[in-house]
């Protein structure tokens, strides 16, 4: 299983759209998933950070999982976020995702109290034992409050069905170190949008990103150039989209994607409080970025 | 209300004890609260970080609130943690605490996505409008993932019933800055155990701490010395307990308090996974610290 | 020697004033030293960070040492900075200071390449062996690029004539930790101006500061209140001067002291390039602060 | 001049070897330079961090410059470090380097007092006006204590003869940002050894490194693969040398290069105090790394 991880390329992260009353807008979720699959992305990952996983109730998480997987309908592999603060809830959601037909699940060890390495290993191992599908371990200290060192990730990869790593620190040195520790065939994925070029150059199998909501063709063009070994073309495709990628990182994915979809003709409802919509002055900046990219008429 | 905040002195934070099957041990919670009230602490604060608030279900939170307040029975003021990742759940818990008779509630703006200042202000304001009792705003970037600057705290204190601040950064400069911004009568409390002496010297109204589970007399002695204006005695009381305070900070309050209670004759069940008990080698170190403090026979 | 360190109280750091042609203005240096001694400070420390030690040539450093010590003329103890990037030059300057009559010397282990603990110990030990007067070890990672942990400082204090520690991290926890490691009689001094109150509360023997150039009476009032055990008075004296102390830290001591002296009637020449004078907009802010403190007419 | 910077490829940084009595070993310096030129490096950069620039006297710096340039004799371009804490000394050394025949000089704005942007701009501008050859601006916060943002670097590049940037933060995002700010033709160079692959992928013109003292063929192989557009070969060459590059970064270039040269048959004398030789246990680790790379017999 280690040798042939089920995911590669552009792995798209749908937002979780809400109605004006704050409830889930599942038909819109299905439409957004459909649009990205049609655009040619190589995977769909509901309930990531972009999907505001931690802000949803258990019931809502299950509804998002079912809706997204039903819409994908096996056309591309799926990676469902199942992270929870407690091990018990993470296991519950991992089992639910497996039953619903997920290709794999993603586990971010979240912290309130800083977790020790032993606690993280025990937590992930318990989830892994509860399911039969592959796990992608996810490192994102900026949101999760805990940083998985490459050394710890290497130990997590010894758990049989932990076969993938999503790295979102934005430090390419972490990826090089991981290859040094685990060998060339370690399947790592990049989750920091502005690091997309460097991560592919470092050998990343894929790029986990919400950007295909707005610029799928550019995201795919970067991956295609890398696959062809055309570093110059890759650099051009990357620099074209870098201003938007940096903007997304600076202002937060749910805020930017919701505003961008609304700008490009797909109105999205409110974010879940305490999250607020992108402020107007930043919406104006986003509009300029999208015009520059041809995603909006001037 | 600003002038006479309802809390001062040693504000004790009970752990939330569990049975071996992982369910709440409410009788033990009541006993632990009783013991600290009897020891003379000046306030009780259930559902803090020590009380593993974020790891509990809504039902469990309500049960802890009711149990603790019933046991206190008005003998000392109470401060109930109501923090939640979403505004809606925080309001729910704040209302519950008010109905249950809490003196005040504590709000820690928690983050997954980094919150903007506007989001934090809107979040706290919404909670404040929903209740009629005072709010203590809580800054603890190490657990919450968001850091409230003194400038932002000063703005939060303009909300009518936000009348107290608990500062847990461990940086006394934050407290001095707060006094500079808000005036001498700003009611701030220290939540970083090793900062207890410096915070009282800076004018803190109280010390929010789980240490009274193990060494209430020493905690009270520090406060008494400060109240008497005896800085030398305060320094001696502080240095006597500093090794334990540092140990608590280094290894995490729930782990250390649970282990310390077990060592001193009050067995406490497991922590909630992924949290694990204090490792054996650290239990041995804790035993030595407690022996040195006279809390355990040699 | 450990028990009775030669310095205590307000230890004043003279700037090193320059003429318009960039050469040392030694008569002005003597006048500034005289003014602070007359104001009642308890020690004089030429060639500190304020004295722009690292920007001076060897000859200039020697001239400053001689001028300052001659002016003090034994009325208060002196602490001469002798830090250099190489051990050889530090030894040279330490010997010079001893011959010139310094009470003690201050050593900041400076780094370009990060120094290992072994390198710092060897460096300080070599300087200590070369002289017969006491050494104050100085920790200031913000300027020196290397951070001395309390554990390393404790080891440095085992060198016979290393008898004092100046701590400038601005973290009072470092001081508490030092007492825990070295015992109550460890002679530590505070070098972070905004930490003056907390450091005295923690037991600091003295406050190393350039502020007596501008507000000697307030600096001394804080120390007097602490000596009398009057914490309330100490807090009042501290809060009165805190805005200026924070301004000094934010904009850099040489820039602020030079501008403040000029504002208060003692024109000081340029700083040594690349250092530039305090920008005009900040001079205006400084003027307001000095007016508020009564150091300038409104 | 902006379009055709005079340096590219593998730019080798010689150490500054000392004799047992602590004086410069200029013949050995010449031999080390010769060896790297003969191995095919594309540039020589005396008096970098590796060359322990800040630990040398003015006379020593001049002797190193003359020796290195004489040995290179125009076969490859040269980049001479002229950084000094004061503007006056930096100008002195820049002029000396120009007279000695340097192709370009490198300027690291060093700090004791944190420099403002205005101070850095004025400092570099003054040096640039004093000479007629190109300047490479150097950002290395870990050694210099000041961090040049991409925005500030973009402003420095507006000074006519500032035509190159050496980035040593180890964060590839800085390089991407620089391209975004300055355009595709900005000439940036990587100074963080473990970032060599990512930097070339990002478009770096060259790699500034001391590694050619030990593994010139591998360094050149990485550059050759990138030049050919063979990303797979580049990745292989990079991963082969990464363990040594990481070791160099962890233990400091002068310590590692001196130990490595001694191991491989070119004894190098002591480092300048306070720098100490690489400790024995790390020498053993270095030996294993060099054996693995074929640079030493097993």
């Amino acid at each position: 299983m280690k040798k042939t991880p089920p995911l590669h390329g552009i792995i798209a992260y749908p937002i979780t759209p809400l109605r004006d009353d704050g409830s889930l807008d599942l038909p819109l979720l299905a439409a957004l998933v459909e649009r990205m699959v049609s655009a040619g992305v190589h995977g769909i990952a509901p309930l990531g950070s972009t999907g505001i996983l931690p802000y949803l109730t258990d019931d809502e998480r299950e509804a998002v999982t079912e809706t997204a997987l039903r819409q994908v309908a096996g056309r591309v592999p799926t990676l469902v976020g199942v992270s929870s603060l407690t091990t018990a809830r993470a296991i519950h959601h991992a089992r639910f995702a497996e039953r619903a037909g997920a290709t794999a699940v993603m586990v971010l060890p979240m912290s309130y109290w800083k977790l020790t390495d032993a606690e993280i290993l025990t937590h992930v191992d318990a989830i892994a034992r509860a399911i039969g599908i592959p796990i992608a371990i996810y490192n994102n200290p900026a949101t999760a409050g805990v940083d998985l060192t490459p050394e710890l990730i290497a130990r997590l990869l010894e758990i049989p069905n932990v076969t993938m790593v999503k790295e979102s620190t934005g430090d390419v040195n972490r990826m090089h170190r991981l290859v040094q520790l685990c060998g060339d065939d370690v399947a790592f994925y990049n989750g920091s949008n502005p690091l997309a070029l460097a991560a592919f150059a470092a050998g990343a199998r894929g790029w986990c990103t919400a950007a295909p909501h707005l610029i799928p063709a550019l995201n795919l063009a970067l991956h295609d150039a890398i696959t062809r070994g055309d570093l110059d073309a890759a650099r051009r495709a990357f620099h074209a989209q870098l201003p938007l990628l940096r903007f997304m990182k600076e202002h937060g994915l749910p805020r930017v994607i919701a505003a961008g979809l609304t700008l490009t003709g797909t109105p999205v409802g409110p974010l879940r409080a305490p999250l607020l919509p992108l402020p107007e002055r930043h919406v104006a900046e986003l509009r300029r970025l999208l015009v520059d990219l041809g995603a909006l008429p001037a």
Side-chain angles (χ1 to χ4, degrees), chain A:
Chain A
M1 194 187 320
K2 297 276 183 187
K3 296 288 181 178
T4 55
L7 288 146
H8 81 284
I10 302 301
I11 301 160
Y13 277 66
I15 61 164
T16 299
L18 304 182
R19 298 179 194 279
D20 285 344
D21 65 1
S23 66
L24 298 185
D25 188 343
L26 295 173
L28 180 52
L29 172 62
L32 293 172
V33 166
E34 181 59 32
R35 193 189 297 180
M36 294 196 285
V37 172
S38 301
V41 302
H42 306 102
I44 291 286
L47 296 175
S49 301
T50 304
I52 58 164
L53 168 76
Y55 300 83
L56 302 181
T57 65
D58 285 355
D59 285 351
E60 289 173 330
R61 290 167 66 155
E62 296 176 4
V64 167
T65 298
E66 285 179 332
T67 300
L69 298 193
R70 188 182 313 123
Q71 190 65 33
V72 171
R75 290 174 289 172
V76 294
T78 53
L79 176 68
V80 177
V82 300
S83 315
S84 297
L85 201 55
T86 64
T87 306
R89 295 322 292 163
I91 288 175
H92 168 87
H93 289 295
R95 284 178 170 153
F96 185 90
E98 180 174 25
R99 284 196 308 272
T103 309
V105 297
M106 187 172 70
V107 173
L108 174 71
M110 301 170 78
S111 85
Y112 181 85
W113 287 105
K114 291 280 168 282
L115 300 178
T116 64
D117 284 2
E119 287 170 343
I120 292 169
L121 284 162
T122 305
H123 175 69
V124 176
D125 190 61
I127 301 168
R129 286 173 189 277
I131 57 174
I133 56 176
I135 290 179
I137 197 79
Y138 178 19
N139 186 34
N140 191 350
T143 57
V146 63
D147 190 4
L148 313 181
T149 60
E151 287 72 18
L152 176 58
I153 292 174
R155 290 177 64 190
L156 289 164
L157 284 167
E158 292 172 6
I159 299 172
N161 51 333
V162 176
T163 58
M164 300 171 281
V165 181
K166 176 180 171 190
E167 246 294 340
S168 291
T169 51
D171 178 2
V172 72
N173 291 296
R174 300 291 188 101
M175 297 172 176
H176 293 317
R177 175 68 177 147
L178 205 60
V179 172
Q180 221 190 318
L181 286 168
C182 303
D184 277 348
D185 57 349
V186 61
F188 63 91
Y189 302 78
N190 171 47
S192 173
N193 283 308
L195 201 72
L197 174 64
F200 277 132
R205 302 288 178 105
W207 174 17
C208 299
T209 177
H213 278 300
L214 302 174
I215 49 166
L218 268 172
N219 304 142
L220 290 162
L222 171 56
H223 178 252
D224 291 348
I226 286 287
T227 305
R228 292 193 316 269
D230 186 343
L231 194 50
D232 281 337
R235 233 181 262 138
R236 282 193 302 273
F238 175 67
H239 276 294
Q241 60 196 296
L242 181 57
L244 180 60
L245 301 180
R246 284 174 47 91
F247 185 88
M248 287 164 58
K249 181 181 168 72
E250 185 173 350
H251 297 291
L253 295 170
R255 297 184 196 95
V256 174
I257 297 296
L261 284 170
T262 300
L263 281 172
T264 54
T266 305
V268 172
L271 300 182
R272 179 150 291 178
L275 299 179
L276 291 175
L278 193 68
E280 273 311 312
R281 69 184 182 286
H282 297 314
V283 172
E285 191 182 349
L286 176 59
R287 182 192 300 273
R288 283 192 300 275
L289 289 172
L290 292 172
V291 168
D292 287 348
L293 286 166
L296 262 185

